Amino acid sequence: MLRLSVPGEPAPPLRDHLAMGDTPDRADAITVNSRHLSRDGRPWFPIMGEFHFSRYPAEEWREELLKVRAGGVTVVATYIFWNVHEERRGVYDWTGDRDLRRFVTTCADLGLDVVARIGPWGHGESRNGGFPDWLLAQDCAHRTDDPRYLDLVRPWYGQIAVQLRGLTRDAGGPIVAVQIENELYDQPGHLLTLKRLARQAGIDAPLWTATGWGHARLPEDELIPLFGGYSEAAWDTAHDGWPQQSRAHYFFGPGRDDDSIGADLRTPETASSDTDESHLERYPFATCELGSGMYTSYHRRPVVAAEDVAALALVKLGSGSAWQGYYMYHGASQKIGELSTLQESHATGYPNDCPVVNYDFQAPLGEYGQFRPSYARLRMQHLWLASDGADLATMALTMPPDAPADTADRSALRWAVRSDGRSGFLFVNNHQPVETLPEHEGVRFTVELGGRELVVPREPVTVPSGAFFVWPLARPVGGSVLLTASAQPVCVLDDDRGPVQVLAQTAGIPVELVFDGGTVQQVEGMATVTRTGEEVVVTGLRPGPDCWLRLIDVAGRSAHVLVLDEESALSATRVRLWGADRLVLSPRPAVAEDDRLVLYGEAPATGCVSSRRPVRGSMGIG
């Protein structure tokens, strides 16, 4: 028996200490405290995917952004590479594929928020980290407060501001955040200077961020530190084994930093030996570079599997993430400039030789818009966050007393709970790349929560090797309370007949639902229903698209539960079509726009498919 006691309601977060956020009198204000973000008066859980506009054909942006949106991403992050737009000093190009304004406007048209990563230095495997060659030739101390360098940055920021005029949030636009610089570890004063210069130029947003990995020193309370985590690290020193830092991302815990990211560019002078993360308690746990793949290089060529990506993302959710950000979510192709190729390489002094064009990144959406298996696995998590993310964002992490003590442990089952003291979610991860983890037999979890002892499942089960999942604890289903379920929440559909809670079987484990008997009057459906004391236990379910239950609560109101098998859940897309909230189940990726549904390809979503076929008619559930 695995046991954990949630200590109670988390302590209230710190508020009003961060130098950002909309003014309080704004009706749909975006604000941030030390635990989570809020929007329009309720907690907000952003799901952010990186897509580099200048590395993709402009005529295809809209179609690709529709795919991004269908994958459950709500915020698009994009680098604005200086060398792409001002390769020759004073000669700017914002046309064609370089048309930042058109890209941001297209995002706005599709209801997607935008995070502008304005640099000046960006990295992103761009030549010189995005600095034009002419800039490096200038006699100044780059990436510092050297007045000669700042005099070069001002017109660059001014150019960005012109492109974004009318698109900032104050003007009704979609830009919710601005990232300053990238991977700058030892210049907090300079980061603050860049924030001031950006605002003076007319670039503004309610949220300001900077990358925090590598134990970066940021100006306190001025920038939210964003973190990352990769299952593989192409920048890691060449060796035969798996990067040690990558192993840590498959263990639950409060740690946020990954000092391996960008380690190939840090020097002993800029690297920090301080591993204390206590100062991070002032900020929500936020990420911008959860590795949804890895770039190709001639130095290392790791292959990243869909399960590696999805398990890592789930562990971050279980560990306290309140803002999921993926790099890259959509692959792309490097530009070729007038004066040089624009990829990082040995010729620019970079440790890795990257391909001249390819920047596919093994991303959920590939270099040519092809769907990958990781797209479906992440989409399943994003469907859940669209329904429960606002609640999850407020929940704190509780670790079991027998949690693994270090990342060399491959025997203990990895699990944790996030809770607000009344309800929560139980997270399990038994997947790790390279080093196969053993199956665990006879598993039951006991969680003391809100004055009750919740046991799930009632009969011990086997957690297979490679399994990773999340189960609900004391969660509402309409007017009823689902105390435990050995099934993963997928989403909640709106329906005139009452809400539909969609669940999915996980890892072949039999599905058991336990309801608070004081909230349930009746359960109807093809299942075995037993009332034992204060609980109603539902077993004998056969998960699939026809596994429906109807609940009638004590007030006589109806709600429904749909329990999908895992394959069906991975094929699910939630859309608003033909006047109703619907769940489309299709082995081919489904993308909706207005009342038009497009299914891509002839093959199941487990392969890479790219052709598309429009469909009209009653498809799916809702």
Side-chain angles (χ1 to χ4, degrees), residues 316-618:
K316 296 303 178 185
L317 292 172
S319 297
S321 173
W323 178 346
Q324 292 280 89
Y326 302 98
Y327 190 100
M328 298 284 293
Y329 189 79
H330 198 306
S333 304
Q334 298 271 18
K335 277 277 181 286
I336 297 178
E338 291 184 33
L339 305 179
S340 69
T341 57
L342 294 179
Q343 92 285 12
E344 281 185 318
S345 66
H346 288 165
T348 67
Y350 187 62
N352 277 324
D353 238 353
C354 297
V356 172
V357 173
N358 176 278
Y359 201 65
D360 175 86
F361 219 86
Q362 304 171 54
L365 291 166
E367 183 178 15
Y368 306 108
Q370 65 269 43
F371 295 86
R372 291 219 167 83
S374 56
Y375 179 89
R377 289 200 172 271
L378 290 178
R379 178 181 58 192
M380 184 173 165
Q381 294 180 16
H382 301 162
L383 284 172
W384 166 52
L385 291 174
S387 294
D388 289 337
D391 287 346
L392 183 69
T394 68
M395 295 179 177
L397 167 68
T398 302
M399 295 291 294
D402 55 350
D406 61 63
T407 58
D409 190 329
R410 289 165 57 189
S411 60
L413 183 61
R414 304 166 191 180
W415 68 290
V417 167
R418 279 184 73 175
S419 170
D420 59 9
R422 300 176 300 278
S423 70
F425 298 95
L426 186 154
F427 293 82
V428 176
N429 177 46
N430 199 33
H431 175 87
Q432 182 172 284
V434 182
E435 301 166 342
T436 302
L437 300 179
E439 71 175 18
H440 291 264
E441 298 178 346
V443 173
R444 283 195 303 168
F445 302 94
T446 298
V447 179
E448 296 177 12
L449 174 64
R452 305 184 75 143
E453 187 174 86
L454 305 178
V455 179
V456 56
R458 290 175 165 244
E459 295 297 325
V461 297
T462 296
V463 177
S465 173
F468 52 94
F469 51 82
V470 54
W471 289 349
L473 299 171
R475 298 293 298 161
V477 179
S480 302
V481 175
L482 178 62
L483 293 175
T484 64
S486 56
Q488 179 159 325
V490 176
C491 66
V492 179
L493 296 171
D494 297 325
D495 190 274
D496 293 340
R497 298 161 294 179
V500 180
Q501 172 68 67
V502 183
L503 302 170
Q505 186 176 32
T506 55
I509 296 171
V511 176
E512 171 196 87
L513 311 179
V514 179
F515 293 92
D516 182 339
T519 66
V520 176
Q521 183 183 140
Q522 188 173 346
V523 179
E524 302 172 354
M526 296 295 292
T528 300
V529 181
T530 307
R531 187 175 289 269
T532 58
E534 298 179 351
E535 298 175 341
V536 174
V537 181
V538 181
T539 56
L541 295 161
R542 300 181 61 182
D546 57 352
C547 185
W548 281 88
L549 298 174
R550 180 183 178 220
L551 307 178
I552 302 175
D553 66 22
V554 291
R557 298 166 298 188
S558 292
H560 300 83
V561 177
L562 168 64
V563 184
L564 297 173
D565 58 283
E566 188 171 9
E567 182 179 2
S568 295
L570 287 171
S571 77
T573 304
R574 184 181 178 182
V575 296
R576 182 76 185 177
L577 274 177
W578 311 307
D581 192 16
R582 301 180 186 274
L583 193 68
V584 176
L585 304 180
S586 169
R588 293 185 286 158
V591 176
E593 182 180 15
D594 300 324
D595 274 348
R596 183 169 181 260
L597 182 67
V598 176
L599 301 183
Y600 282 79
E602 302 295 339
T606 52
C608 293
V609 294
S610 58
S611 62
R612 64 177 187 170
R613 177 177 297 176
V615 175
R616 283 296 301 252
S618 181

Side-chain angles (χ1 to χ4, degrees), residues 90-298:
V91 179
Y92 296 96
D93 187 353
W94 298 97
T95 64
D97 301 345
R98 296 170 167 84
D99 192 342
L100 171 63
R101 185 174 189 82
R102 176 180 172 186
F103 181 80
V104 174
T105 300
T106 304
C107 289
D109 289 346
L110 299 179
L112 292 165
D113 295 318
V114 174
V115 173
R117 301 179 81 170
I118 66 173
W121 195 85
H123 202 188
E125 288 66 57
S126 183
R127 180 181 176 90
N128 310 321
F131 277 175
D133 288 354
W134 64 260
L135 180 69
L136 292 183
Q138 302 303 303
D139 181 20
C140 64
H142 300 91
R143 306 179 74 188
T144 73
D145 274 356
D146 183 336
R148 295 167 296 177
Y149 174 66
L150 298 181
D151 285 344
L152 298 171
V153 171
R154 284 189 184 91
W156 168 237
Y157 274 6
Q159 280 284 318
I160 295 174
V162 169
Q163 298 304 311
L164 298 181
R165 187 172 296 151
L167 297 175
T168 60
R169 185 163 160 80
D170 280 347
I175 298 175
V176 296
V178 173
Q179 180 186 300
I180 294 294
E181 256 286 337
N182 196 55
E183 297 175 352
L184 191 61
Y185 310 96
D186 60 344
Q187 297 281 334
H190 179 54
L191 292 174
L192 191 56
T193 296
L194 291 175
K195 178 181 176 181
R196 175 175 52 81
L197 291 183
R199 297 182 104 164
Q200 288 174 351
I203 304 169
D204 208 353
L207 304 174
W208 291 83
T209 71
T211 53
W213 51 75
H215 314 295
R217 292 190 290 118
L218 307 184
E220 186 175 87
D221 298 342
E222 292 284 348
L223 302 166
I224 300 173
L226 301 187
F227 293 92
Y230 290 82
S231 63
E232 286 283 357
W235 50 82
D236 198 61
T237 304
H239 53 71
D240 293 332
W242 184 37
Q244 293 298 302
Q245 183 64 38
S246 294
R247 181 185 283 116
H249 297 304
Y250 294 89
F251 288 80
F252 297 103
R256 306 184 191 184
D257 206 350
D258 180 343
D259 59 9
S260 75
I261 305 177
D264 49 355
L265 296 173
R266 284 198 295 277
T267 65
E269 292 75 25
T270 60
S272 171
S273 60
D274 183 10
T275 59
D276 180 18
E277 293 192 4
S278 59
H279 64 288
L280 298 179
E281 295 175 2
R282 301 181 66 81
Y283 311 95
F285 188 159
T287 61
C288 64
E289 288 200 18
L290 297 181
S292 51
M294 179 48 57
Y295 66 83
T296 298
S297 76
Y298 298 103

Side-chain angles (χ1 to χ4, degrees), residues 130 306 315 325:
V315 168

